[in-house]
Amino acid sequence: MPVLFQDLAAPGVQKLKPYLPGKPVEELERELGISNSIKLASNENPLGASEKALQAIQHCYRNINYYPDGSAYKLSEKLAEKYNIAPSCLTFGNGSNDVLELIARAFLTPGHSAVYSQYAFAVYPIVVQATGAKANVAPAFDDKHKTMPLGHDPDALVASIDDTTRVVFIANPNNPTGTWMDAETVEAMLNRIPASVIVVLDLAYLEYMDEGLKPDIKHLLDTYENLIITCTFSKVYALAGLRIGYGISHPDIADLLNRVRQPFNTNLIAQAAALAALDDEGHIRQSIKLNNEGKVYLQHELDKLGLAYLPSMGNFLAVNMGQPAAPVYDALLNRGVIVRPVANYEMPDYLRITVGTAEQNNRLIEALSGVMA
Ligand SMILES: *Cc1c(COP(=O)(O)O)cnc(C)c1O
């Protein structure tokens, strides 16, 4: 009898569905025999990395024969200063997704449950299921909701917590919807969550939020000891390919996460680039401005095409095609425009479109107009 490796896997792993990433540009072009295609599929920063980060890479790449600093000392010091926290509050990850995984491994077992919203970021189900823990999925607001269709419903999230719940995952803003909770709503919700439940507030798109909506990170950490905030260098800092992110929490939580963490999980080049990217305020400002302008342009053009989209504080829009989105996705591919179908999120009529440069946004709208005609 041949061995069925599926049966050997941990129960949670047996039921996992593989995450399907956006298609790499080279692969698409090879498949379709085209060139000059654009990728607006993975919420990357279309401006490119900061020149300061690129220079930092130039300065350090000859040292890659050495292991990185396992404690990321310089980056810890810089972030501790940025947030006015102790370096012992930090946990670094190979992307913030790695931190999400550390949290699941540190706090979840098959006897526990985790809570996240319907339509929440796809990595939460993956890290939860792999531990064998149960997922309590909180219903999101429905698509008729006045202000935040398909957004996280704080009441439903709180109601989904039961005696076995160890972790609640909240993406703010959420991907793929772009929906958000304002600072007051977040705090009101935190007030209703027992102190023995870890709350993960995933702020991957924080910098893109309107100033008045942003949570006060320091205040939240001082007030809620059960809170873990996760941040990434993949989005506005434009270092997605290097894989680096971090969690901020009470030092006792960070201590647990760091025990689970592989000592050299963030690499030498990523640490150096992240350190430099933090200093390039001009690049961050420019990235945010490009995103805001691009989003307004796209929304305006989508309105003209009669296509509805969800409100978004991210660098992307979830656009309702008013029909199954798969054929639209394919037709856009054929015109060299890669976007993201989100049927895996139970949103089969939507495409998630990353805000690009002005030129890329133009091309997207041209292609979309052609496809819809
Ligand atoms: C992109 C994204 C991240 C970032 O993941 P990295 O592993 O840091 O690249 C985290 N959370 C959400 C909701 C995201 O969309």
Side-chain angles (χ1 to χ4, degrees):
M1 282 289 278
V3 176
L4 278 174
F5 294 112
Q6 166 82 9
D7 293 344
L8 300 181
V13 175
Q14 289 187 21
K15 282 182 264 159
L16 274 183
K17 288 197 216 88
Y19 177 88
L20 294 175
K23 247 178 216 279
V25 173
E26 294 82 9
E27 189 185 326
L28 170 86
E29 295 193 338
R30 248 193 335 267
E31 278 175 22
L32 298 177
I34 58 172
S35 56
N36 273 323
S37 56
I38 57 168
K39 185 183 180 210
L40 301 174
S42 302
N43 301 345
E44 292 135 339
N45 185 334
L47 197 60
S50 134
E51 275 307 319
K52 289 189 173 161
L54 296 173
Q55 276 166 24
I57 291 170
Q58 291 285 332
H59 280 120
C60 79
Y61 78 93
R62 287 180 190 281
N63 297 333
I64 57 172
N65 53 316
Y66 295 106
Y67 279 104
D69 173 358
S71 68
Y73 175 79
K74 283 189 194 159
L75 195 52
S76 295
E77 292 292 317
K78 180 149 229 119
L79 288 170
E81 196 185 302
K82 173 179 163 77
Y83 294 107
N84 186 22
I85 54 163
S88 56
C89 297
L90 292 162
T91 307
F92 289 94
N94 194 291
S96 60
N97 287 349
D98 188 26
V99 180
L100 299 174
E101 167 132 344
L102 295 177
I103 295 165
R105 279 177 39 215
F107 291 103
L108 295 175
T109 76
H112 292 120
S113 66
V115 169
Y116 48 80
S117 175
Q118 188 183 12
Y119 313 120
F121 186 40
V123 171
Y124 310 151
I126 295 175
V127 300
V128 170
Q129 278 180 44
T131 68
K134 185 164 161 280
N136 296 350
V137 182
F141 288 136
D142 68 27
D143 59 357
K144 306 282 184 301
H145 192 272
K146 270 209 224 65
T147 52
M148 217 46 72
L150 308 196
H152 286 22
D153 175 352
D155 292 340
L157 284 162
V158 172
S160 300
I161 295 170
D162 61 32
D163 291 344
T164 67
T165 302
R166 278 283 155 85
V167 186
V168 179
F169 291 95
I170 294 154
N172 197 42
N174 181 46
N175 168 17
T177 57
T179 52
W180 67 93
M181 291 187 256
D182 62 28
E184 293 74 34
T185 308
V186 168
E187 184 144 17
M189 183 183 57
L190 288 171
N191 281 331
R192 296 165 63 197
I193 297 178
S196 57
V197 173
I198 304 285
V199 181
V200 180
L201 191 58
D202 179 344
L203 299 181
Y205 302 97
L206 172 73
E207 295 82 359
Y208 294 114
M209 290 182 97
D210 286 353
E211 222 41 64
L213 299 169
K214 289 182 186 176
D216 179 342
I217 291 179
K218 169 75 172 153
H219 164 72
L220 290 182
L221 288 165
D222 284 346
T223 313
Y224 305 97
E225 295 195 335
N226 54 332
L227 180 66
I228 306 174
I229 284 174
T230 60
C231 301
T232 184
F233 286 99
S234 299
K235 301 287 154 61
V236 84
Y237 292 101
L239 300 176
L242 285 179
R243 313 303 304 127
I244 186 160
Y246 55 94
I248 322 173
S249 64
H250 189 282
D252 292 353
I253 293 179
D255 173 53
L256 289 163
L257 300 180
N258 277 303
R259 288 191 222 174
V260 182
R261 183 176 72 79
Q262 295 292 319
F264 302 119
N265 65 333
T266 62
N267 71 77
L268 181 147
I269 294 176
Q271 288 183 24
L275 192 66
L278 282 169
D279 271 339
D280 197 343
E281 280 171 26
H283 175 264
I284 298 161
R285 257 199 316 276
Q286 207 187 339
S287 302
I288 294 168
K289 182 162 176 277
L290 186 72
N291 184 61
N292 287 340
E293 290 169 358
K295 202 155 53 177
V296 168
Y297 166 80
L298 287 177
Q299 287 169 333
H300 183 68
E301 294 298 320
L302 290 166
D303 288 343
K304 287 203 285 191
L305 288 172
L307 292 171
Y309 45 84
L310 300 178
S312 171
M313 277 294 148
N315 63 346
F316 58 90
L317 289 172
V319 184
N320 189 344
M321 295 297 140
Q323 61 180 78
V328 181
Y329 165 73
D330 286 332
L332 287 173
L333 273 190
N334 277 305
R335 291 165 190 252
V337 178
I338 317 175
V339 297
R340 192 80 151 97
V342 284
N344 58 321
Y345 287 91
E346 300 171 52
M347 294 167 63
D349 289 359
Y350 283 81
L351 291 176
R352 191 192 65 199
I353 300 173
T354 304
V355 178
T357 61
E359 193 188 333
Q360 291 171 334
N361 297 336
N362 244 305
R363 267 201 56 194
L364 165 85
I365 291 299
E366 234 167 68
L368 195 56
S369 311
V371 169
M372 299 309 283

